[in-house]
């Protein structure tokens, strides 16, 4: 960028940051400093225990699409959990404590469901905080994928699906004694950047409608950052009798979702990206009310005929009878009936700490409003780079704001990925890469600023200049 363009962008960013109605939530997060990310040794103390210095310049962290930064209150909540365990032992399961913000461990999953339900647009009964993403996809398919080789047996997914989704589909098909050659259908994109149009998706659904049992798609495609038209695709598939599961790993906490109103059958997600639960933190699933009814009592004849069969565990039992220890499974209605084991309270406590901040920020609509402005500003600032720099990359994420979330994926010219990433890291910038040539840049509205976007573009310009000179 020219000096004048940089100065103008900085002024715009400063003005936008000053006008940001939710800028206050940035202070709720531990954003690593440049010195910290450059260090190769474990810090002696947690950042929350140290006074902040003006010399501790924050890094430019634009990687919430991969791992969100740590909320400051996570340490507080985890210490409260550890104190409960240390002082109450097993009583922590049932004994409420005065002046504690934490639920009993028996009710921790219910409290977490109350916090996540508005994030995904669901009734509380339709969500469960449990397991991890791929495990939940398998659990959902085990309940709702009932293939008939003489009828509906195919699963449709995109050809560039996240590998774990692809593996889940392949193994589920083989688990039922079928072959992927006959029972797996891949949606191919006609775009060189792998942007899949809604029309392409609907065309594949139409072509295989009579023999398809299940459709599995991402809410947001991990590589390109494309936001799919969830309600339109769901409705189209339903009209053709197809059950729909959405992988919302990159959508949850990123864009507003209205899963109940959209009639989504089921969905699953992780919590360590935009939800900031921490690496490998507990996942979640959604099961629409229509698919989780329980019509019989456990005392009725053949009570198992009153609910959709699924892989079961004791935590899916009704809470009132869970500790009776009778060897007779009867699920509670709703998504909670798909739970297996008691969830990790450590994980749920960490996730809930972040979800508290979502509430304080005003929910997903407020976050989306800022996110649209952030990503648009990032895109516009990239467009102000020098022509010779712009010749070495292109944005492959859709340009229409309604067709993307926070993330922009930048496709670099061949041979530039490694040196550009090295130079960005040296300048205190954290983004991530997807080989062979893509870097993903995701300003998260909870803690990123417009100034972060400008500083990224400045560092990216400098990194490209160094990388292209080396390539000569």
């Amino acid at each position: 960028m020219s000096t004048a363009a940089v100065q103008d962008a900085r002024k715009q960013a400063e003005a936008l940051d000053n006008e940001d109605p939710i800028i206050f939530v940035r202070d709720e997060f531990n954003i690593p400093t440049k010195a910290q990310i450059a260090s190769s040794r474990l810090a002696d103390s947690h950042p929350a225990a140290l006074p902040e210095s003006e010399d501790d310049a924050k890094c430019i962290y634009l990687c919430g699409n991969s791992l969100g930064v740590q909320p400051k209150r996570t340490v507080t909540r985890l210490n409260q959990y550890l104190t409960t365990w240390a002082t109450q032992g097993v009583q922590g399961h049932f004994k409420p404590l005065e002046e504690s913000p934490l639920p009993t461990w028996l009710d921790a999953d219910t409290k977490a469901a109350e916090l996540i339900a508005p994030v995904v647009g669901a009734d509380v009964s339709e969500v469960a905080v449990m397991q991890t993403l791929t495990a939940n996809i398998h659990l959902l398919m085990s309940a709702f994928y009932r293939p008939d080789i003489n009828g509906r047996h195919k699963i449709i997914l995109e050809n560039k699906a996240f590998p774990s989704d692809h593996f889940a589909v392949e193994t589920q098909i083989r688990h039922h004694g079928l072959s992927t050659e006959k029972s797996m259908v891949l949606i191919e994109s006609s775009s060189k950047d792998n942007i899949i149009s809604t029309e392409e998706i609907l065309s594949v659904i139409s072509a295989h409608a009579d023999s398809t049992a299940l459709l599995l798609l991402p809410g947001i495609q991990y590589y390109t950052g494309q936001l799919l038209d969830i309600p339109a695709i769901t409705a189209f598939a339903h009209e053709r009798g197809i059950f729909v599961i959405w992988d919302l790993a990159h959508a949850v906490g990123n864009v507003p979702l209205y899963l109940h109103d959209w009639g989504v059958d089921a969905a699953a997600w992780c919590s360590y990206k935009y939800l900031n639960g921490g690496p490998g933190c507990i996942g979640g699933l959604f099961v629409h009310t229509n698919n989780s009814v329980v019509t019989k009592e456990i005392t009725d004849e053949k009570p198992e005929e009153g609910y959709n069969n699924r892989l079961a565990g004791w935590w899916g039992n009704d809470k009132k009878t869970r500790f009776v220890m009778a060897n007779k499974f009867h699920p509670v209605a709703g998504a909670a009936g798909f739970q297996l084991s008691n969830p990790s309270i450590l994980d749920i406590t960490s996730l809930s700490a972040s979800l508290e901040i979502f509430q304080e920020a005003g929910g997903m609509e407020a976050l989306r409003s800022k996110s649209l402005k952030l990503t648009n500003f990032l895109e516009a600032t990239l467009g102000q780079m020098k022509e010779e720099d712009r010749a070495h990359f292109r944005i492959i994420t859709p340009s229409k704001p309604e067709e993307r979330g926070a993330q922009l994926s930048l496709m670099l010219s061949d041979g530039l990925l490694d040196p550009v990433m090295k130079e960005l890291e040296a300048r205190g910038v954290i983004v991530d890469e997807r080989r062979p040539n893509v870097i993903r840049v995701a300003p998260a509205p909870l803690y990123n600023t417009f100034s972060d976007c400008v500083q990224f573009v400045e560092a990216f310009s400098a990194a490209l200049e160094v990388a292209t000179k080396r390539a000569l």
Side-chain angles (χ1 to χ4, degrees), residues 145 169-180 183-184:
Y145 177 53
V169 169
E170 284 188 342
T171 53
Q172 283 284 334
I173 288 171
R174 289 200 292 266
H175 179 71
H176 287 278
L178 304 176
S179 70
T180 55
S183 297
M184 184 169 71

Side-chain angles (χ1 to χ4, degrees), residues 187-255:
I187 302 171
E188 304 279 348
S189 169
S190 59
S191 162
K192 65 178 180 179
D193 294 329
N194 198 48
I195 300 301
I196 307 174
S197 70
T198 300
E199 290 71 25
E200 286 175 317
I201 295 171
L202 302 188
S203 175
V204 173
I205 293 173
S206 292
H208 299 272
D210 293 340
S211 55
T212 296
L214 190 145
L215 173 68
L216 173 64
L217 289 174
I220 290 181
Q221 213 280 340
Y222 81 100
Y223 185 79
T224 65
Q226 179 189 4
L227 170 62
L228 299 190
D229 192 339
I230 298 175
I233 295 167
T234 299
F236 189 87
H238 282 173
E239 290 169 0
R240 286 146 185 83
I242 299 170
F243 194 92
V244 184
I245 298 176
W246 289 93
D247 175 346
L248 301 176
H250 285 265
V252 67
N254 182 0
V255 295

